[in-house]
Every structure is written in C-alpha cells, then in structure tokens.
Amino acid sequence: MQTLEATAKMMVADGKGLLAIDESTGTCNKRFAKWAIPQTAESHRLYRELIVNTPGLGESISGAILYDETIRQEMDDKTPFAKALAARGILPGIKVDLGAKEMAAFPGEKVTEGLDGLRTRLAEYVQMGARFAKWRAVFSMGDGTPSHGCVEANAHALARYAGLCQEAGLVPVVEPEVLMEGDHTLDVCSEVTERVLRTVFREIYAQRVKLEGMILKPNMVLSGVDSPHQGSIEAVADATVGCLLRSVPAAVPGVVFLSGGQSGKLASARLNAMNVRYKLRLPWELSFSFGRAIQEPALEIWHGKQANVIPAQEALYHRARCDAAARRGEYTAAVEAAHRESAAHHMATNVYVGSAQ
Ligand code: 13P
C-alpha cells in the first residue's frame, strides 16, 4: 500500500500531469486516417517513438499511458517502450480495459469489458515495468441515459478492476467519462457527472479499494457540444470543481481530467481556471491526463513524415508545458505565446535520437 500511495503521489507531482497515448488500434487508425498516415503497427510505433523521444517531456509529464501493442514494442534502439519512459523519468502506465461494448438490453449504451483474466494480464504488465493502469467507462447523454443499469454495471466493473490493480501493485486510474456529445446544458452534465461519481465511489468502497492508492480521471463538467449555451471558462471551472467537491472523497490523492475532444487551448484554460479559483481549498491535486488536447497539433504536423518529426515534437512539448502551467494555475495567453517561443529554442538546442518517418 505504501508503494501504491507513493506512486499515486508521483503521478500528480507538483506541476506535472499524465499523457494518454493509449489509443486502441482502431482509434489510432481513425486518427491516422484523417491525415492519410499509414495505419500499420510500425507506423503506430514510429509515432509513439516520436512522442517518447520528445526532449524535455518529463519536465511536464509524470506518467504516460501505453496501449498493449506499444508496451510490447521497442524503440529504434531496441529499448522496450516502458523502459524508455522510465529512463526519461516518466512512469509507464497501461490501458487494461478491452473496450466499451454495446450493453445487452440497454440500446445505445455501453459497458466496458476486460475483467475476465485481468489478474493474469496485470501480472504480465507489472513484469514489463508498468506502474499504473487505466480503465475507461463511457456514459452517453440522451433521453433517459445514462440509465441506472448502465451506471451501476460500469461503476462495479471500475471498482473490480481497481481492486485487482491494487492487488498487483498497480495504481488504478479510474476513468468514468460522461461524453460531450449532445445538446445538454452545463447543469445537466453536472447532475449526471455527480450521479456517476457517487456511484463509482460507492462501488470503490464496497470492493475495498484503497482511496489513497488510486487516481480519478473524470470528464470536466461541460455543456454538450451541440448546446447553443456554452458556459464561460469560469462557469465550467465552478461547475466542475463543485461537482467534484460533492462527490470525490478527500483521501483520493489526485484528480486528472481527460480532454474528451476539447481543443488544447480550451482544455488548458479550463484546468487553469479551476486551479486559480480553488487550488487552496481542494483536498486533492487537480491535474491532467490528456490525450487529444496534448497530441493533436503534433499529429497534424507529423503527418507520418520523418522531416516533420522535430516540429511535431516542438508542438507536443509546447502543449505539455502549457498544461503543466495550467495545473499550477499559471497559464495565460502570454504564457501560451512565451512557451511557443521557448519551445522552438528548446528544440533547436536539444538533439532528437529516434527515426520516426
Ligand atoms: P482524451 O484526452 O483525448 O479524451 O483522451 C484521454 C483518454 O485517456 C481517454 O481514455
């Protein structure tokens, strides 16, 4: 338990957050298809190598979440990815759920699978060097959804997964995601997120998961993407923190947000507003575990081409530093611009050692 607590604290160490690069093969291929990047295991490897080899990434990133394919792959220099991350001062993590699947008798809703055989898979990931794990459940917003049955089933699975992780010595990142799709209001998202989180923590308690040795990865409380009333940055910050204060026990060491389809700048600005307005009265660290909000500009620049590796790393380094600033409540438009300038200088003075093409 002491190791779990120490690892959890490192994951939300001051000024740092997590980077999600654990897109499943299907999701990764979808993102690559948008830029006509070849959809092969080697292409996935080259892209993840580019990310892991970004000079100075460990200044802002405490841990990176890998996908099963990646944790079995090697960098160009034959170092396995988990070892390469550890060598750069970044904790290796692993996505262990097997995806959100259509839920029987609940049309339009999903339940995340992967509990059968999980104990054996976790033991193998520990051997490979993983220090923490992730399991994502999704909740769609609609007429009558998320239903009671869907919330209960996913919360139970999250708690069962978390218990198995702690038994294996891995810190569970518990990710219940209320999706942004829809035209719901900020208030409705807040109500649903609170209901989901209360259910998750009831199950976490029932399954004897140690709160001190886990990390929560929730959505921010946002209006639906199709809602004409998008809340201000401050309104989002207030709604999100209020919802978390009502539903997340104080013994949890850290809350790290997913980005869920928000732009990189908005995700930074909203996280920043939460820390500016509330940092001194929060019982947990409030940080990030972004995927798209950190990666998107880098992926677009890379385009699958070796010649674009350094500019892509520069973009990744820039976004990660902006999020690290937001996590401290120090992100402003001026910081966004200053970090852009210094990222260029940083890349010009640091050598890249991989060969993504
Ligand atoms: P996004 O930040 O792109 O939502 O990804 C985070 C994540 O890990 C989703 O499971």
Side-chain angles (χ1 to χ4, degrees):
M1 194 47 211
Q2 269 178 347
T3 316
L4 286 175
E5 281 191 48
T7 304
K9 282 199 181 115
M10 280 193 270
M11 290 164 69
V12 288
D14 195 28
K16 294 189 188 182
L18 304 179
L19 169 62
I21 50 170
D22 62 333
E23 298 82 7
S24 63
T25 302
T27 304
C28 192
N29 285 344
K30 206 165 72 188
R31 307 248 160 93
F32 278 19
K34 187 171 170 202
W35 307 111
I37 299 167
Q39 294 153 45
T40 62
E42 176 59 6
S43 193
H44 304 155
R45 190 193 70 79
L46 289 167
Y47 178 55
R48 270 68 182 253
E49 165 130 4
L50 174 161
I51 293 172
V52 172
N53 256 340
T54 298
L57 191 64
E59 294 164 22
S60 317
I61 302 298
S62 54
I65 316 170
L66 302 173
Y67 181 56
D68 181 78
E69 177 186 81
T70 318
I71 203 168
R72 297 177 192 284
Q73 289 177 324
E74 293 173 343
M75 307 274 285
D76 282 350
D77 68 2
K78 303 294 172 211
T79 315
F81 270 84
K83 287 212 167 63
L85 284 170
R88 287 155 178 76
I90 299 173
L91 294 166
I94 179 77
K95 169 190 173 78
V96 302
D97 66 70
L98 298 179
K101 306 286 164 59
E102 298 300 325
M103 186 165 167
F106 289 80
E109 295 196 279
K110 293 191 169 164
V111 64
T112 301
E113 296 185 350
L115 286 174
D116 287 356
L118 183 58
R119 179 181 270 130
T120 315
R121 290 197 293 125
L122 294 181
E124 189 190 9
Y125 291 136
V126 168
Q127 286 302 315
M128 291 172 165
R131 301 287 300 280
F132 69 97
K134 186 193 99 171
W135 178 292
R136 173 175 177 254
V138 292
F139 302 98
S140 56
M141 297 288 280
D143 197 12
T145 68
S147 65
H148 178 75
C150 175
V151 173
E152 292 286 327
N154 277 296
H156 182 74
L158 276 166
R160 291 274 321 279
Y161 136 83
L164 284 161
C165 283
Q166 291 190 336
E167 178 192 83
L170 294 166
V171 172
V173 173
V174 172
E175 182 179 8
E177 175 175 5
V178 175
L179 296 168
M180 281 166 59
E181 281 73 33
D183 59 4
H184 50 274
T185 62
L186 195 65
D187 284 350
V188 169
C189 182
S190 179
E191 272 170 41
V192 170
T193 303
E194 183 172 337
R195 173 157 64 93
V196 165
L197 292 177
R198 284 180 182 274
T199 311
V200 166
F201 280 104
R202 193 192 70 219
E203 286 295 312
I204 289 275
Y205 178 66
Q207 297 302 321
R208 303 184 178 169
V209 176
K210 306 287 182 298
L211 295 170
E212 293 83 353
M214 66 164 279
I215 298 287
L216 177 72
K217 176 165 173 169
N219 51 282
M220 293 185 192
V221 172
L222 304 170
S223 309
V225 277
D226 300 326
S227 165
H229 309 291
Q230 292 298 318
S232 65
I233 286 167
E234 290 72 23
V236 166
D238 293 352
T240 304
V241 171
C243 181
L244 294 173
L245 284 172
R246 289 191 295 274
S247 51
V248 183
V252 172
V255 175
V256 296
F257 293 105
L258 59 96
S259 59
Q262 302 173 67
S263 73
K265 282 187 187 174
L266 258 182
S268 300
R270 287 166 171 165
L271 175 62
N272 183 69
M274 292 180 218
N275 278 308
V276 166
R277 293 160 87 84
Y278 295 100
K279 198 172 177 47
L280 295 178
R281 48 175 286 218
L282 298 178
W284 2 258
E285 296 294 327
L286 206 50
S287 187
F288 60 90
S289 176
F290 296 156
R292 283 162 287 180
I294 296 180
Q295 290 182 50
E296 254 171 5
L299 179 61
E300 181 176 352
I301 292 168
W302 177 50
H303 245 95
K305 301 211 167 54
Q306 161 72 26
N308 300 334
V309 164
I310 292 175
Q313 290 179 323
E314 184 181 316
L316 190 86
Y317 178 76
H318 174 234
R319 280 262 55 85
R321 285 190 80 208
C322 287
D323 291 327
R327 183 241 180 290
R328 292 189 298 260
E330 294 169 2
Y331 173 78
T332 58
V335 166
E336 169 83 31
H339 280 354
R340 177 114 272 328
E341 295 270 309
S342 64
H345 176 74
H346 172 78
M347 293 306 297
T349 52
N350 282 278
V351 184
Y352 171 70
V353 287
S355 72
Q357 47 195 303

